Amino acid sequence: MPKEGIQRGCTLSISISVICDVSSTLLPSDDYHAIPVQFYKDICYTPLFSSDLPEETHIGLFMDNTYLVPGEKEQKFYHEEYIAPETVSAYRIDNPDLYCQVIGQADVLCQNSLRIPTSLRVHLLNECNVNGQDLDCLLAMIKEHYPAYTNPATYSMEKKLYLPSIVAVLKRSCFEEFITFAETVIQAFFSELDLSKLSNTRLQSFKHLYVLLFQVYLACSPSLEVKRCATVQFKHVEVPKYLSVWKNSAVPVVFASNERFAPALGVCITSLLDNIDRNRSYDIIVLESDLSEDSKQRLELTCKQYPQVHLRFFNPRILMGKRALQKNPTDHITIETYYRFLIADILPDYKKVLYLDCDTVILDDVGKLYDTEMHGNILAATLDPEVPSLAMGKDPSMKSYLQDVLGLQEGDPYFQAGVLVIDLKAMRSFHSVDQWIALVGERRYRFNDQDLLNKECRGRYQLLDMRWNTVVDCNHTRMQTIEDGPYSLYDAYTQARKDPHIVHYAGFEKPWDVLDSDFAYLFWHYAKRSEFFEQLLMMVLNGANGKKESIVLRLFPRGSRRRRFAKQLFYKATRI
């Protein structure tokens, strides 16, 4: 990270334009101005400024999602995944005025050139896919229109220095000189070409020509005082910070999934759509960070035939930043389950949403669930029929864990968090998203985020009919555990199984792994109609073809007494 040591405030003014090849590019702040381009050829072919230049004393031009780091004297090249608030603040790029103080009386502030093992010409040809004829044509246009620049340009081509992109702030007069030079040469260059006959690779290479012209401009102006500083480049800048309301009357349904669970999500959404009220609208939001384009297209195809349904994807990684999460390593859940804590920021204009685990099959209209009156509570959820039963006998440590760690007294209900109605206004008022994530990072919990929600929302949630979250009899052992617990829970669970509204395949045993598992027939009923049926069949076949179990599973089979005993020892040793 960059060092501290620069103060805000300066007497000069600045305008910085960022060349963006994605229309929804995130910028560090509203003080930056986007110049959208669809292809790299547009950087060269279209004038960067279609009207007069900005009035400020200094003008900046940044490319390739790269920013100068004000105050960082060491000429480093930093790399970050996401342009998140924390990284923007850490590199002090939220306030462009800081560049004025850094540049001082100098003419140019830019990144340092990279030293390369070959000449610049060889590097552009071999590493940047620049066409040799294009390079010669560009140099010929420089010679024709700016003959005084010919020798410095030729000399630059033989040096072993390479500028990867334009990331610079210039005095206004210098910027005018550069833009006039660059666009004169570029327009002459393009007048020699028929763009319709060029390959996409060749068009993409034109980006390097504009950068080369900047490098030539610096070399041709030895009197310029040039300052160098560090840069930071962001890999992902296309992620929106939040989603707006699609329709005020829509039922917002939120899922969290990764690529591994995409087929299960496809089956879940297929079942959801089969049971919707055709007179209502549904806004389906999938929180994900690694779904493939193939999976997204399959999900979109699933929803396409329903005009009252809107499907959207959102990558929450920008909101997570570098926050640390604690996860119980003995559990089977994925990190995506924590995304539910971000919903209040992702959907700031929704008052209430449904959150559903994607390993569910939906057998009734979720609009009915959404209509639940919240009465000021943060959540609505069903009782978990298993955890209280474990506390009564099969896991002696569970009772003390519920009391000492979660603050639940004997008789306090414990809910299952796979199906939730969330009052976002109440959730925001109770804890901010930052506070929720901080709580997640405090310690490990046995049942991860579900435990944290039970701890924090004690007395602030209302109970739903267990039919809205009927967990399966995982490994045909969960029923016995529930039967050994409170009779009221056992009775509610057995009644829910007779007419479930949502079947939840909670636990390690999934219907695509064990075909005769509890309620697996319902999953496969919808799987056959989903866009993921072939993928699911392949998953079954791959499992049947002898996929090797890990040594841990061979020694401690899931659902076995040996595994339960090992877990208890682990919890005791780690104080979870």
Side-chain angles (χ1 to χ4, degrees):
M1 282 294 190
K3 300 175 183 178
E4 299 295 333
I6 189 165
Q7 302 297 319
R8 288 178 175 268
C10 62
T11 57
L12 304 176
S13 60
I14 189 169
S15 173
I16 296 182
S17 296
V18 180
I19 296 177
C20 309
D21 57 355
V22 178
S23 59
S24 58
T25 296
L26 287 176
L27 301 178
S29 73
D30 293 337
D31 295 319
Y32 293 81
H33 311 286
I35 300 179
V37 292
Q38 190 171 7
F39 300 105
Y40 279 127
K41 69 176 178 64
D42 293 342
I43 296 176
C44 302
Y45 191 61
T46 305
L48 291 177
F49 296 90
S50 56
S51 57
D52 294 337
L53 291 176
E55 296 296 329
E56 280 74 13
T57 60
H58 289 75
I59 300 174
L61 189 62
F62 294 174
M63 294 171 58
D64 291 341
N65 310 323
T66 305
Y67 295 81
L68 297 174
V69 180
E72 179 62 37
K73 295 180 180 179
E74 295 184 41
Q75 296 168 7
K76 294 182 178 179
F77 298 89
Y78 297 102
H79 296 275
E80 294 286 346
E81 284 288 312
Y82 295 93
I83 187 165
E86 310 87 65
T87 51
V88 167
S89 176
Y91 290 102
R92 298 179 294 281
I93 59 176
D94 51 339
N95 179 20
D97 286 345
L98 293 177
Y99 296 123
C100 293
Q101 188 171 355
V102 175
I103 196 171
Q105 297 302 311
D107 299 297
V108 179
L109 177 67
C110 65
Q111 65 176 325
N112 197 37
S113 297
L114 298 175
R115 294 196 175 275
I116 52 178
T118 64
S119 68
L120 177 58
R121 180 184 180 87
V122 172
H123 184 81
L124 290 173
L125 295 177
N126 295 342
E127 303 298 328
C128 303
N129 296 317
V130 175
N131 183 281
Q133 292 180 346
D134 291 339
L135 206 52
D136 292 337
C137 180
L138 188 76
L139 293 173
M141 293 302 104
I142 293 175
K143 183 177 181 179
E144 178 180 343
H145 295 276
Y146 285 82
Y149 284 22
T150 303
N151 289 336
T154 304
Y155 178 66
S156 296
M157 298 301 297
E158 300 308 318
K159 293 183 69 175
K160 296 181 178 181
L161 292 176
Y162 165 64
L163 198 64
S165 60
I166 300 177
V167 188
V169 175
L170 297 85
K171 282 185 177 179
R172 179 187 175 86
S173 58
C174 297
F175 192 87
E176 288 175 334
E177 283 182 355
F178 166 64
I179 285 294
T180 302
F181 158 64
E183 293 188 345
T184 299
V185 173
I186 283 295
Q187 288 174 10
F189 168 79
F190 272 98
S191 67
E192 302 291 319
L193 299 175
D194 183 354
L195 296 179
S196 64
K197 296 181 179 180
L198 302 185
S199 68
N200 184 61
T201 300
R202 192 168 172 183
L203 291 173
Q204 295 255 346
S205 73
F206 290 163
K207 178 198 80 166
H208 301 284
L209 301 184
Y210 219 112
V211 180
L212 174 60
L213 290 175
F214 181 69
Q215 198 165 347
V216 169
Y217 170 74
L218 294 180
C220 293
S221 309
S223 62
L224 290 178
E225 182 182 349
V226 179
K227 280 188 176 182
R228 309 280 182 170
C229 72
T231 59
V232 55
Q233 183 177 45
F234 297 96
K235 184 177 181 180
H236 301 289
V237 297
E238 72 281 2
V239 185
K241 293 181 179 179
Y242 64 90
L243 296 177
S244 57
V245 172
W246 174 53
K247 285 184 179 180
N248 290 326
S249 60
V251 177
V253 186
V254 181
F255 296 96
S257 180
N258 57 23
E259 178 63 15
R260 177 170 167 262
F261 273 85
L265 176 62
V267 174
C268 177
I269 292 179
T270 299
S271 67
L272 182 153
L273 298 177
D274 196 49
N275 291 282
I276 60 173
D277 183 342
R278 300 304 174 101
N279 296 315
R280 300 186 74 167
S281 299
Y282 299 79
D283 188 9
I284 300 176
I285 299 113
V286 179
L287 307 182
E288 56 81 27
S289 58
D290 72 344
L291 280 186
S292 66
E293 283 304 310
D294 179 79
S295 293
K296 289 181 180 179
Q297 289 171 8
R298 290 173 187 266
L299 292 170
E300 288 170 350
L301 188 59
T302 302
C303 298
K304 189 176 182 180
Q305 58 185 308
Y306 296 88
Q308 69 272 50
V309 173
H310 187 51
L311 174 66
R312 296 188 278 178
F313 301 96
F314 185 89
N315 187 335
R317 288 292 179 87
I318 184 175
L319 299 179
M320 293 298 296
K322 296 185 178 180
R323 293 157 166 157
L325 298 177
Q326 298 282 355
K327 180 182 178 299
N328 180 356
T330 71
D331 207 345
H332 57 274
I333 71 164
T334 63
I335 203 70
E336 282 76 17
T337 190
Y338 289 104
Y339 288 167
R340 72 184 82 191
F341 292 110
L342 307 174
I343 295 174
D345 276 4
I346 295 170
L347 300 171
D349 299 322
Y350 271 122
K351 297 179 180 178
K352 183 171 68 171
V353 300
L354 297 181
Y355 174 85
L356 307 178
D357 278 356
C358 58
D359 57 345
T360 55
V361 163
I362 299 166
L363 306 172
D364 203 348
D365 175 29
V366 294
K368 299 176 184 177
L369 179 61
Y370 179 75
D371 292 337
T372 300
E373 291 293 335
M374 299 299 289
H375 304 294
N377 288 298
I378 299 172
L379 305 173
T382 68
L383 288 173
D384 187 304
E386 186 177 19
V387 170
S389 303
L390 290 172
M392 286 183 64
K394 286 193 174 181
D395 186 352
S397 65
M398 182 64 76
K399 183 176 181 180
S400 60
Y401 171 78
L402 293 176
Q403 292 179 347
D404 300 340
V405 177
L406 303 189
L408 301 181
Q409 302 306 312
E410 189 170 353
D412 282 346
Y414 178 96
F415 61 82
Q416 218 285 342
V419 175
L420 299 173
V421 186
I422 305 175
D423 186 318
L424 294 180
K425 183 178 180 181
M427 194 171 193
R428 293 186 197 101
S429 299
F430 184 54
H431 286 319
S432 68
V433 166
D434 284 338
Q435 290 172 331
W436 278 112
I437 298 300
L439 289 168
V440 170
E442 281 184 353
R443 62 159 293 149
R444 291 175 176 174
Y445 292 95
R446 292 195 183 185
F447 297 105
N448 298 293
D449 57 321
Q450 180 170 282
D451 281 354
L452 177 62
L453 286 169
N454 272 278
K455 177 183 178 181
E456 293 298 314
C457 298
R458 177 172 173 261
R460 298 180 178 88
Y461 67 90
Q462 64 186 68
L463 294 176
L464 297 170
D465 190 313
M466 202 175 291
R467 290 180 297 175
W468 284 113
N469 187 3
T470 306
V471 295
V472 297
D473 181 14
C474 182
N475 199 38
H476 300 294
T477 59
R478 180 175 280 153
M479 176 67 84
Q480 183 60 52
T481 301
I482 295 172
E483 190 172 359
D484 292 340
Y487 175 77
S488 59
L489 281 179
Y490 172 72
D491 182 58
Y493 178 63
T494 54
Q495 292 301 317
R497 288 177 59 86
K498 297 176 182 178
D499 182 27
H501 297 338
I502 296 179
V503 171
H504 185 188
Y505 299 95
F508 62 85
E509 187 178 66
K510 304 300 182 184
W512 54 88
D513 293 326
V514 183
L515 299 183
D516 62 347
S517 59
D518 192 33
F519 283 117
Y521 70 91
L522 283 175
F523 177 87
W524 287 102
H525 169 74
Y526 289 104
K528 286 186 291 186
R529 299 161 53 192
S530 79
E531 300 297 332
F532 290 86
F533 184 53
E534 297 86 353
Q535 287 187 334
L536 287 161
L537 288 180
M538 289 302 298
M539 289 166 65
V540 172
L541 290 173
N542 289 338
N545 287 336
K547 185 176 69 173
K548 291 183 178 180
E549 286 187 323
S550 68
I551 186 65
V552 174
L553 284 178
R554 292 202 296 269
L555 291 174
F556 304 99
R558 285 168 170 157
S560 66
R561 292 183 179 180
R562 187 187 302 170
R563 188 177 181 89
R564 286 198 299 271
F565 179 70
K567 275 190 174 184
Q568 291 172 19
L569 290 179
F570 174 80
Y571 293 152
K572 187 174 182 179
T574 58
R575 297 184 179 181
I576 293 183

